[in-house]
Amino acid sequence: MVRIAVIGAGAAGLSAAHHLLQNGCEVKIYERSSFVGGQASTFEVLKDIPLERGYHHLFISDTDIIELIDHLGLSSQLKWIPSKVGTFTRGKTFKFTTALDLLKFSPLNLIDRLRLGFLSLYLSKISDWHNLESSTAVNWLKNFGGQNIYDVFWEPMLQGKFGKNYFSQVNMAWIWGKINTRFASRKGFLAKELLGYPLCSFGTVFDELVRSIKKKGGIVELSREVTKIISLDQDQKVKIISELKADTWQSPTKHDFSPETIEFESKEKNIHTDEFDAVIVTTPSYVFSNIIDNIPQDYQTSLLSQNYLSAILLILVLKSPLSEYYWLNIADRKIPFVGVIEHTNLADPSNYNDKHIVYLSNYVSKDDPLLKKNHKDLLDLYLPHLKKINKDFSKDWIEESFYQRVDAAQPIVGINYSSQILSHETPFPNIYLANTTQIYPEDRGTNYSIKIGKKVAKLLLTNINKTLY
Ligand SMILES: Cc1cc2nc3c(=O)[nH]c(=O)nc-3n(C[C@H](O)[C@H](O)[C@H](O)COP(=O)(O)OP(=O)(O)OC[C@H]3O[C@@H](n4cnc5c(N)ncnc54)[C@H](O)[C@@H]3O)c2cc1C
């Protein structure tokens, strides 16, 4: 039987493993954290209640993960809920739930509001994005929408997603992808957007997927970090060296929904070596470049040229709701966070003991001073600003708070990005790469990781079958 190793038990790795097992392979998954789900994993926010480390929802166009949820028998848990979106600017919150709300967006004059509406509609009608990627979003939006709409609407949105250092590099095809997914989640231009959320949590979806993987004979090794991948010349097999590690995920939270307890022994006993016919790597590109042995210089340069942002999240469990919005873009740069995502305005508070759960989010580059701040520093920095959003907010509302940091959370997609995307096939025989840098022009998301996991598994099977017959 063909033996395959999958590195990473996030959406892409689990999806690849699932597909390989369905096709009769023997599969071992290595995951350095003590839990599965990667960026979409959960922690225990309230007793026995899981919550994503970073807010998560689905769009109607996310068909690969919707199918998977159905396949796992969890479709009754997936709820589609009208989203409530707003923008906070000039001391006020403006509703942005339907296209008609745009007409009331007073920071723009009426002509600019209409122009913004037509521009968004025009972008949603473009079917071929290729011509858009040679222009930065900044230049394209200024040229086609004008400086004022850019300053008031687009720049805060771009800075919110890509931070001050990188937003000007992002190409226009990325904005096109974003607008298209949002339009696809509406039933008509004037209709409300619907967002999906599995009430059992994304973590439970991945735990269920692991159960299915194990039932088919798959092995899932948690808290096991791959430290070296060696391509063996003689028989084109691949050697994996891994080490049992304490959790490397940046999280002060005490409890994770981890199915196994790990005993840590001496360093030598913690190191394992194993050999496989092929390997699928789903780690960020810079991790792959560190662990692959004998890397050619040009391939290393390509892997390391991929820049990512980290996500920093402060999660508050409140007695009272902060706002009526699920998603509030903060377009006021005096406020030190860029998004307020009130999860319980998507999933009902009754699922969380009637508490209200709010994420305050930032995306930052590795040199951003925010990364040096700890949980308490962030509370001190952020909380005074919440009164701007709800004048009644008081610190007494906070019952619990959590800090989460997710590295490699957002790849930066610069101009002509499609020509820089690395192939799933690497320079090493039988070693494949499937990570978020290869998702384009759509924004990265669980759906697309499930999709590339399946795609790379199919490619591997086709190639292996060619060598066998
Ligand atoms: C704040 C935030 C909000 C998001 N919101 C949404 C949303 O609303 N909807 C949506 O669909 N998506 C959302 N996403 C994106 C989505 O979570 C990711 O795109 C997706 O989960 C990525 O899956 P992946 O398997 O490709 O990568 P990852 O989840 O990063 O998985 C890679 C895995 O590899 C492991 N690993 C790394 N190095 C090693 C090693 N050396 N050895 C062993 N294991 C290793 C990691 O621990 C990790 O588990 C969000 C992400 C963030 C950060």
Side-chain angles (χ1 to χ4, degrees):
M1 197 186 279
V2 180
R3 278 197 90 215
I4 317 254
V6 174
I7 304 177
L14 293 176
S15 163
H18 190 235
H19 191 80
L20 292 167
L21 284 158
Q22 280 175 324
N23 284 278
C25 301
E26 200 181 311
V27 178
K28 185 163 171 183
I29 305 175
Y30 292 89
E31 169 54 57
R32 72 172 179 185
S33 300
S34 60
F35 48 85
V36 301
Q39 296 181 37
S41 60
T42 47
F43 69 102
E44 190 178 48
V45 68
L46 288 159
K47 192 167 178 344
D48 295 332
I49 303 181
L51 179 80
E52 292 68 31
R53 282 159 218 282
Y55 51 84
H56 270 73
H57 56 254
L58 296 177
F59 295 106
I60 288 174
S61 50
D62 287 340
T63 49
D64 287 78
I65 191 165
I66 295 169
E67 259 171 41
L68 176 70
I69 290 173
D70 193 28
H71 173 83
L72 296 172
L74 294 171
S75 53
S76 64
Q77 292 284 319
L78 181 58
K79 300 294 173 209
W80 290 96
I81 307 143
S83 72
K84 296 173 202 146
V85 180
T87 292
F88 182 86
T89 182
R90 303 180 189 191
K92 240 180 107 179
T93 298
F94 294 88
K95 199 168 160 194
F96 257 98
T97 299
T98 69
L100 288 179
D101 292 327
L102 185 58
L103 293 176
K104 299 180 202 148
F105 186 57
S106 60
L108 290 176
N109 63 41
L110 189 61
I111 305 271
D112 278 349
R113 286 177 228 170
L114 291 170
R115 271 176 98 177
L116 177 56
F118 282 121
L119 191 65
S120 307
L121 188 61
Y122 168 67
L123 279 167
S124 75
K125 300 285 174 210
I126 294 178
S127 52
D128 184 357
W129 50 268
H130 287 89
N131 286 337
L132 295 173
E133 71 160 0
S134 57
S135 185
T136 63
V138 172
N139 285 343
W140 196 97
L141 291 165
K142 278 186 190 170
N143 286 344
F144 285 83
Q147 185 75 36
N148 193 38
I149 301 180
Y150 172 79
D151 289 342
V152 174
F153 186 82
W154 295 111
E155 187 176 288
M157 194 196 105
L158 277 168
Q159 279 205 18
K161 189 74 183 187
F162 292 99
K164 288 190 197 75
N165 295 346
Y166 285 104
F167 79 94
S168 56
Q169 295 181 20
V170 173
N171 82 45
M172 189 57 203
W174 185 87
I175 295 273
W176 173 89
K178 204 73 194 159
I179 286 182
N180 266 273
T181 14
R182 299 217 85 126
F183 269 93
S185 239
R186 291 172 196 271
K187 295 193 165 122
F189 179 60
L190 295 178
K192 280 190 177 167
E193 173 186 65
L194 290 178
L195 297 180
Y197 183 72
L199 287 180
C200 56
S201 85
F202 279 74
T204 307
V205 171
F206 292 119
D207 283 348
E208 202 49 50
L209 184 52
V210 166
R211 231 160 271 149
S212 166
I213 284 171
K214 286 185 175 170
K215 235 163 110 183
K216 292 186 178 71
I219 296 170
V220 184
E221 294 257 24
L222 296 179
S223 298
R224 188 157 278 288
E225 178 169 311
V226 171
T227 51
K228 194 63 68 211
I229 307 173
I230 302 165
S231 182
L232 302 173
D233 287 340
Q234 64 276 30
D235 50 7
Q236 304 219 319
K237 287 200 186 269
V238 186
K239 191 195 265 189
I240 296 275
I241 302 175
S242 67
E243 201 175 314
L244 198 58
K245 283 252 159 119
D247 214 329
T248 45
W249 198 277
Q250 295 276 343
S251 165
T253 51
K254 284 169 239 77
H255 182 91
D256 284 304
F257 282 79
S258 157
E260 275 144 59
T261 314
I262 312 286
E263 293 287 322
F264 289 94
E265 297 183 84
S266 67
K267 188 165 166 67
E268 297 69 44
K269 281 196 179 164
N270 287 340
I271 295 175
H272 280 179
T273 301
D274 207 344
E275 264 183 44
F276 297 89
D277 297 301
V279 175
I280 295 178
V281 181
T282 70
T283 71
S285 296
Y286 59 85
V287 174
F288 182 41
S289 117
N290 274 341
I291 59 181
I292 181 79
D293 195 44
N294 248 330
I295 185 167
Q297 183 68 51
D298 56 342
Y299 192 62
Q300 183 174 45
T301 306
S302 304
L303 286 173
L304 294 180
S305 68
Q306 181 61 62
N307 287 314
Y308 293 90
L309 298 173
S310 298
I312 296 182
L313 302 132
L314 188 66
I315 303 164
L316 306 176
V317 179
L318 303 176
K319 286 180 196 153
S320 302
L322 186 69
S323 82
E324 62 180 278
Y325 296 96
Y326 165 59
W327 190 282
L328 192 58
N329 286 312
I330 305 295
D332 175 346
R333 288 289 76 94
K334 291 197 191 82
I335 297 184
F337 43 85
V338 296
V340 178
I341 295 99
E342 194 155 347
H343 178 72
T344 37
N345 286 338
L346 186 68
D348 197 80
S350 59
N351 297 293
Y352 301 90
N353 300 343
D354 293 321
K355 307 292 178 217
H356 301 267
I357 295 172
V358 175
Y359 293 89
L360 305 178
S361 77
N362 266 307
Y363 283 92
V364 295
S365 49
K366 54 181 180 297
D367 48 354
D368 195 299
L370 265 187
L371 277 181
K372 297 215 168 69
K373 297 203 182 293
N374 62 25
H375 185 175
K376 184 181 172 305
D377 296 338
L378 282 192
L379 282 167
D380 291 344
L381 181 69
Y382 289 1
L383 294 188
H385 297 272
L386 290 183
K387 264 189 178 300
K388 296 179 185 170
I389 291 158
N390 182 337
K391 65 177 175 22
D392 296 328
F393 171 78
S394 131
K395 281 187 186 169
D396 307 343
W397 288 12
I398 304 175
E399 297 205 340
E400 188 71 84
S401 72
F402 301 89
Y403 166 87
Q404 299 285 356
R405 168 175 161 182
V406 182
D407 286 330
Q410 178 71 53
I412 316 263
V413 291
I415 56 172
N416 298 323
Y417 186 76
S418 61
S419 62
Q420 295 146 34
I421 297 175
L422 292 172
S423 154
H424 293 305
E425 284 166 294
T426 70
F428 313 94
N430 297 322
I431 300 179
Y432 295 79
L433 179 69
N435 71 21
T436 53
T437 66
Q438 294 158 317
I439 294 166
Y440 181 72
E442 298 86 359
D443 191 17
R444 57 53 172 149
T446 48
N447 181 66
Y448 300 103
S449 288
I450 300 279
K451 194 172 174 169
I452 57 164
K454 239 183 326 187
K455 184 176 159 204
V456 78
K458 279 185 190 161
L459 176 67
L460 182 156
L461 288 169
T462 310
N463 288 348
I464 285 223
N465 284 337
K466 271 190 220 150
T467 56
L468 289 180
Y469 302 107

